[in-house]
Amino acid sequence: MASDTFYLWKRKIKAAIQSLPFYLWRLRPIQRKKMVFTTIEGTTGFTCNPKYIALELLRRKKGYELVWLVNDMTKSFPEGIRKVHNTLGNRARELATAAVWVDNSRKQLEVRKRKGQFYLQTWHAKLGFKPTCLDRGASFSRIAELISRHDSEMIDLVLSNSDWYDRTLPTGMIYTGPTLRSGSPRCDILINGRAQQRERIRAQYHLAPDTKILMYCPTFRGGSQSTNRTIEKGDHAPDYDRLIRTLDVRFGGSWVIFLRLHPQLTARHIAAHAGNKHLIDVSQVDDMYELLAACDAFLTDYSSAAFDAAVMNIPVFLYCDDYSEYEGERGKLLWDLRKLPFLLAENDDELERQVTNFQQTEYLEKLAKLFKECGVEESGEASRRVVDEIMLHLI
C-alpha cells in the first residue's frame, strides 16, 4: 500500500509539471471553429465514433478546423482533417486552443480544460460484457480511478444509446453528468451502409459476390489480468476449419472468416494458420465497422461489439472457453452470458451444436426483447444528432 501511495504521488507530481504547457497556451484565444479528435489515447487512427462524427462535419462543409491527434503519423485521414503527432507539446497546443474535444477514451492526467471549451465523450462501447471502473471492484487500481475521475470531471456530455447504458454510468464510468440519447455514430454504417459495404468489401478482398463472412473478434487477455494469455489454437481460438464446415452446412453458401485480433497477437497467430484460404486477417484495418457492415455473422468472447453486430440482426455467437476463469480474474461480468440471445459455447463441440441448431426466428425474438428491455435506440441517425448538438456549443 505504501508503494502504491508513493506511485500515485509521483504520478500527480508528473501530471502537474506536464500540465504547464496547457496553461501557457491559454494565452492564446479559443478558436471557435476548431475541434480536436482522439481515439484510444492516439493509438488508433480514423475510427470508432469520432470518425463518423468527423465525416458528418465534413459533409456539412461549414469550414470547421478538424484536428486529429495520432501516435502513428502514417495513418491516413480524409482531406479536411489535419493530423497531428500526439506528443505532449502538440497535445497541449491543440487541445488548449480548441472549442470542442471529441474522444472515445480517457484523457491523460496532465490534460487541463479551460472555461468555454466543450468536451464530448463518445466512449468506445455502450452495451458491454466487461465491468469497468468501480464495477471492477478490487481489480480497479487506484491510478486508474484517479485518471477516470480526472477525465469525468472535465466531460460536458456523454453519448448514450440506451437506458441500460445510462444506468451504468455512475459506477461504470464514474460519471453523473448529462447524456445525449443519440445512439452510436459508428453504428450508422451498420444500419445505412450494409448494401454498399457488402459489395465493396467483397471486391476489395477478391471474394465472390455471394461469399458469406463471419467476423471473429476476440478480446485481448492481458494487462490487468494475472495470467499470460495468447490467442492460439488449443488456447482460446476455435477450430476454424470445423467452424467453416459447420457454417457451410447450416447456412449454405461458401464462408470465410475475417480475423480481427489484437495487434500484439496477430503476426504469430496468422503465421500458425498460413495457407488457410478461409481465413483473412483484417486486424490492421483501422475501422472494423466498415468490415462488420459487410458480415453475415459475428463471433467473439467478451467484446462489446457483439451488441453492435446484433443491430444488423445477424447471428452472434460467443466462444468462451475460459468463462469462469475470466470472471474470476476480470471481475463478474455485467451479464450472465447464458441468458443472452447470443449462443454461448465453451468448446468446439458446443460451438458446432450452437451453429447447427441456430433458430433465426427464436433468436430475433429474444434479441428484440433484450433491446426493448434495455431501451436501446440505434436509428442510423446518431452522427447527425451528435453534430447538431455540437453546433449548439459553437454559437
Side-chain angles (χ1 to χ4, degrees):
M1 183 62 69
S3 61
D4 189 26
T5 300
F6 180 66
Y7 176 71
L8 285 176
W9 178 80
K10 286 201 307 181
R11 286 294 301 271
K12 289 179 180 179
I13 295 296
K14 181 180 178 180
I17 295 172
Q18 292 183 329
S19 71
L20 294 178
F22 287 86
Y23 291 107
L24 289 174
W25 279 104
R26 291 187 179 186
L27 297 174
R28 296 288 184 90
I30 294 174
Q31 299 171 37
R32 299 314 308 174
K33 301 193 79 172
K34 178 178 175 180
M35 308 180 205
V36 177
F37 296 76
T38 320
T39 53
I40 315 296
E41 297 184 355
T43 60
T44 55
F46 194 50
T47 186
C48 200
N49 292 308
K51 168 184 174 175
Y52 293 93
I53 295 170
L55 287 175
E56 174 65 15
L57 286 162
L58 290 174
R59 187 189 66 79
R60 298 194 185 191
K61 298 180 180 179
K62 297 294 186 180
Y64 302 113
E65 181 185 2
L66 307 184
V67 178
W68 204 288
L69 296 172
V70 63
N71 296 355
D72 182 358
M73 289 296 285
T74 67
K75 296 289 187 182
S76 298
F77 293 85
E79 184 178 354
I81 294 180
R82 176 167 60 89
K83 66 179 176 180
V84 174
H85 193 207
N86 186 34
T87 62
L88 173 62
N90 290 342
R91 190 161 60 245
R93 180 183 68 251
E94 301 297 346
L95 289 174
T97 57
V100 175
W101 301 351
V102 181
D103 207 327
N104 75 342
S105 63
R106 297 296 191 179
K107 292 293 190 190
Q108 293 87 344
L109 198 56
E110 76 272 5
V111 173
R112 300 292 188 270
K113 194 181 76 165
R114 59 195 286 192
K115 184 177 180 181
Q117 294 182 308
F118 177 69
Y119 177 14
L120 175 68
Q121 176 56 253
T122 75
W123 205 237
H124 50 273
K126 292 294 182 279
L127 275 72
F129 299 118
K130 295 178 287 187
T132 56
C133 289
L134 300 179
D135 290 332
R136 295 191 61 182
S139 66
F140 185 47
S141 69
R142 293 174 65 191
I143 184 60
E145 180 173 355
L146 178 65
I147 294 170
S148 297
R149 290 187 182 279
H150 170 72
D151 180 71
S152 289
E153 288 171 1
M154 295 190 293
I155 295 172
D156 293 293
L157 189 67
V158 168
L159 300 189
S160 174
N161 75 338
S162 61
D163 296 332
W164 183 91
Y165 186 65
D166 286 351
R167 292 194 295 268
T168 68
L169 287 174
T171 55
M173 199 173 180
I174 317 182
Y175 177 79
T176 56
T179 63
L180 176 66
R181 185 65 62 82
S182 60
S184 308
R186 70 184 185 187
C187 286
D188 289 352
I189 194 171
L190 305 183
I191 298 170
N192 305 321
R194 293 200 68 197
Q196 178 184 4
Q197 291 302 118
R198 287 181 68 85
E199 180 178 353
R200 186 182 75 82
I201 294 301
R202 281 161 180 77
Q204 179 180 339
Y205 288 93
H206 308 290
L207 301 172
D210 60 350
T211 302
K212 295 182 179 179
I213 303 171
L214 175 141
M215 179 181 283
Y216 175 45
C217 184
T219 49
F220 175 60
R221 270 70 158 197
S224 62
Q225 291 177 268
S226 60
T227 54
N228 180 24
R229 299 183 181 276
T230 60
I231 300 178
E232 296 289 345
K233 180 68 193 78
D235 186 1
H236 295 293
D239 183 326
Y240 296 126
D241 290 327
R242 186 175 177 181
L243 176 56
I244 286 289
R245 290 194 300 270
T246 306
L247 289 166
D248 287 348
V249 171
R250 169 60 184 85
F251 297 103
S254 177
W255 284 78
V256 298
I257 296 176
F258 275 5
L259 292 174
R260 179 78 179 182
L261 306 179
H262 190 280
Q264 293 184 22
L265 306 178
T266 300
R268 70 175 176 179
H269 184 81
I270 294 300
H273 298 279
N276 190 329
K277 65 180 181 180
H278 297 294
L279 300 182
I280 299 174
D281 175 25
V282 297
S283 305
Q284 303 302 322
V285 176
D286 276 337
D287 183 13
M288 68 170 279
Y289 281 75
E290 290 186 349
L291 302 173
L292 183 57
C295 290
D296 301 278
F298 186 77
L299 174 67
T300 186
D301 44 17
Y302 312 105
S303 171
S304 63
F307 293 95
D308 290 346
V311 168
M312 300 187 292
N313 288 328
I314 63 174
V316 174
F317 302 99
L318 305 178
Y319 183 78
C320 308
D321 66 349
D322 63 341
Y323 186 10
S324 298
E325 179 185 359
Y326 187 86
E327 277 202 319
E329 295 169 356
R330 171 81 193 197
K332 187 172 179 59
L333 299 182
L334 301 177
W335 305 83
D336 182 344
L337 302 190
R338 299 177 183 86
K339 296 181 179 179
L340 288 172
F342 315 136
L343 300 183
L344 172 67
E346 297 188 54
N347 54 57
D348 286 312
D349 289 340
E350 287 186 0
L351 183 58
E352 180 175 349
R353 285 197 299 271
Q354 295 288 30
V355 173
T356 300
N357 297 325
F358 178 79
Q359 298 296 320
Q360 177 82 354
T361 300
E362 180 183 0
Y363 169 73
L364 293 179
E365 288 175 351
K366 290 181 177 180
L367 193 58
K369 180 181 179 182
L370 173 68
F371 281 0
K372 182 177 180 180
E373 290 175 347
C374 293
V376 174
E377 299 177 30
E378 293 288 1
S379 66
E381 296 292 324
S383 301
R384 178 186 60 77
R385 292 178 181 177
V386 172
V387 171
D388 285 346
E389 179 69 25
I390 289 175
M391 296 300 96
L392 299 177
H393 299 274
L394 292 177
I395 297 174

